[in-house]
Amino acid sequence: LQRADGGTLGEDIAAADRAAQAAPADPRFPLHAAWQLLWDRADVAAARPYLERVLGAASILPNHTILFLLYLRRTDEALARARRWAEEEPSGRSWYWLSEVHRQRGELVEGLAAARRGASLPDGLLNLRLLLDAEALEEGDLLLTSRPVGRVKWLGSRGRVREAASIVNRNRPAPGGDRYLELAFHVGMAHVYTPLEDPAVTFRELHRMLETGSVAFICEGWALASMGDLDRAELMVFNFVGDSHGVCAGMTRAITRWKRGDVPGALAILARYPIGTSDFYRGEILAEQGRDAEAIEAWRAYRPRRGLNFFEGFLDSYNFPRSLFLEARSLARLGRTEEARVVLGRFLRLWERADSGLPLLARAKALQAELARGGAQVEARR
């Protein structure tokens, strides 16, 4: 479990192991180890022995139990546990988790029913990923008018960058105030601006994060790598003082290796992170190699699995719509023109009110024109 660079996560796990040996009946210590490994690295293989020790413990929160079962892909057990929780303690949280299990199982009708019931409760939570997967766009727009939490991410998924940025700007902290709030503001702005595909804008926000005195910016390196700014992305990973094998660092490293021509190295890194985002980038790599049928399957695996790990949320609002465009493009290349039109239609409905100057929207409209001409083979556009 020790990191190659001798950082603090390995020491943390070792301390949990020692505590567990001293108190073998106490589930808190293996729970801590499992949680840290999944949160930081999405390292299911390393977390598995700890998970097996805690899954039956009565003291484990039900949402943690469900999350752990989903990581282990034991979805039948996750569904049974979520149903029992919703029956025994009906709340916005319990119904949210039931809807999420259904979403990851591809049961969107059942998921929507659970999500609507949970959203109707006083403590209701919205499952935005489910609303996107089920194309319940008008319903999501309506629900989020009165619930600001999640609205920025929702708008980001719909390509409405200016509107999302205005919301974040309204909550900008006063100059000279809390540095953590200032950092959070610039992190939020960096995420909002990702669909611009402009590394200079992302780097500007990153520089302002540094001015707050923080070095917690590794996920912005991931964004820079996705935009092709490989040199600065690699420098950020190299100089990062946190866990260099965490999800954001790993995704940054995988993308830079791929774009520098080391496809086997990139795929090997992605294989260490069994989460939906790995499938997303695996699809991009396969499509670039002309393996479009495999790429399509990767993107279809990504969409229901995304969101298991917290750090996936940093680029998910942009990767989700991109997955639809990329799948449509690969379908067109394979001559599956009608399927391509259907999938591209999903993207265009999602971005029907998107800002007009976004590069992804321009590529999608170019593909739409190509499909309208009936072309079966479509050139790759990035």
Side-chain angles (χ1 to χ4, degrees), residues 1 10 35 41 72 74 77 95 101 143 147 177 181 198 209 230 303 318 329 336-337 342 357 372 375 381:
L1 293 172
W35 184 257
R41 298 185 180 179
L72 293 169
R74 289 159 55 176
E77 293 174 70
W95 283 101
V101 174
L143 289 169
R147 299 175 187 235
L181 293 178
D198 186 344
M209 293 176 212
L230 305 184
R303 287 194 286 269
Y318 188 47
R329 190 183 66 181
R336 295 157 62 177
T337 307
V342 170
R381 299 183 181 91

Side-chain angles (χ1 to χ4, degrees), residues 107-153:
E107 300 162 352
L108 298 183
V109 173
E110 296 88 341
L112 277 174
R116 287 164 178 156
R117 183 161 181 181
S120 69
L121 298 172
D123 62 342
L125 299 174
L126 293 182
N127 190 333
L128 300 184
R129 286 186 294 271
L130 176 62
L131 293 170
L132 291 171
D133 287 358
E135 295 192 82
L137 303 179
E138 292 183 1
E139 182 175 353
D141 284 338
L142 180 62
L143 289 169
L144 284 161
T145 56
S146 58
R147 299 175 187 235
V149 176
R151 183 162 177 78
V152 170
K153 282 193 173 184

Side-chain angles (χ1 to χ4, degrees), residues 170-226:
R170 284 201 296 269
N171 297 310
R172 180 168 191 162
D178 188 296
R179 286 182 176 270
Y180 177 78
L181 293 178
E182 184 71 14
L183 171 67
F185 168 77
H186 291 298
V187 169
M189 291 304 289
H191 299 164
V192 163
Y193 287 138
T194 299
L196 300 179
E197 298 182 11
D198 186 344
V201 174
T202 298
F203 192 77
R204 179 193 68 200
E205 297 301 324
L206 191 155
H207 185 73
R208 290 171 178 170
M209 293 176 212
L210 284 172
E211 291 175 342
T212 70
S214 174
V215 294
F217 50 68
I218 192 61
C219 287
E220 280 60 55
W222 175 5
L224 288 173
S226 71

Side-chain angles (χ1 to χ4, degrees), residues 279-280 282-288 291-301 326-327 330:
D279 287 315
F280 174 83
R282 187 166 56 86
E284 279 204 283
I285 293 170
L286 292 169
E288 186 180 77
R291 298 160 63 182
D292 288 293
E294 295 171 78
I296 290 165
E297 292 308 311
W299 292 315
R300 291 178 180 178
L326 291 168
E327 181 181 338
S330 282

Side-chain angles (χ1 to χ4, degrees), residues 11-283:
E11 295 169 358
D12 194 17
I13 300 303
D17 284 337
R18 290 193 296 272
Q21 290 173 4
D26 193 330
R28 290 177 299 169
F29 307 117
L31 173 64
H32 176 79
W35 184 257
Q36 290 300 102
L37 288 163
L38 293 179
W39 168 271
D40 193 65
R41 298 185 180 179
D43 192 339
V44 177
R48 186 181 297 273
Y50 299 104
L51 292 174
E52 297 295 352
R53 290 168 61 185
V54 303
L55 274 173
S59 59
I60 305 304
L61 294 172
N63 56 304
H64 289 174
T65 298
I66 294 165
L67 179 67
F68 295 158
L69 290 169
L70 290 173
Y71 260 116
L72 293 169
R73 303 203 179 201
R74 289 159 55 176
T75 61
D76 288 346
E77 293 174 70
L79 181 60
R81 183 65 188 91
R83 281 174 170 164
R84 187 165 73 251
W85 185 21
E87 290 170 0
E88 294 173 352
E89 302 175 40
S91 66
R93 184 170 296 276
S94 63
W95 283 101
Y96 167 87
W97 276 98
L98 179 56
S99 74
E100 179 62 8
V101 174
H102 279 304
R103 187 189 72 82
Q104 295 206 20
R105 289 167 58 92
E107 300 162 352
L108 298 183
V109 173
E110 296 88 341
L112 277 174
R116 287 164 178 156
R117 183 161 181 181
S120 69
L121 298 172
D123 62 342
L125 299 174
L126 293 182
N127 190 333
L128 300 184
R129 286 186 294 271
L130 176 62
L131 293 170
L132 291 171
D133 287 358
E135 295 192 82
L137 303 179
E138 292 183 1
E139 182 175 353
D141 284 338
L142 180 62
L143 289 169
L144 284 161
T145 56
S146 58
R147 299 175 187 235
V149 176
R151 183 162 177 78
V152 170
K153 282 193 173 184
W154 178 261
L155 292 171
S157 297
R158 305 206 65 186
R160 292 155 65 178
V161 176
R162 287 193 295 269
E163 192 175 348
S166 69
I167 293 174
V168 178
N169 264 313
R170 284 201 296 269
N171 297 310
R172 180 168 191 162
D178 188 296
R179 286 182 176 270
Y180 177 78
L181 293 178
E182 184 71 14
L183 171 67
F185 168 77
H186 291 298
V187 169
M189 291 304 289
H191 299 164
V192 163
Y193 287 138
T194 299
L196 300 179
E197 298 182 11
D198 186 344
V201 174
T202 298
F203 192 77
R204 179 193 68 200
E205 297 301 324
L206 191 155
H207 185 73
R208 290 171 178 170
M209 293 176 212
L210 284 172
E211 291 175 342
T212 70
S214 174
V215 294
F217 50 68
I218 192 61
C219 287
E220 280 60 55
W222 175 5
L224 288 173
S226 71
M227 297 174 196
D229 192 346
L230 305 184
D231 291 338
R232 285 195 289 204
E234 286 180 323
L235 281 172
M236 289 177 64
V237 172
F238 180 77
N239 290 299
F240 185 52
V241 298
D243 182 7
S244 64
H245 298 290
V247 170
C248 289
M251 294 299 160
T252 305
R253 192 175 291 109
I255 295 168
T256 53
R257 287 199 182 183
W258 157 42
K259 294 192 175 184
R260 291 198 188 281
D262 182 9
V263 169
L267 292 174
I269 293 171
L270 293 175
R272 299 174 197 162
Y273 302 92
I275 53 179
T277 297
S278 294
D279 287 315
F280 174 83
Y281 290 113
R282 187 166 56 86

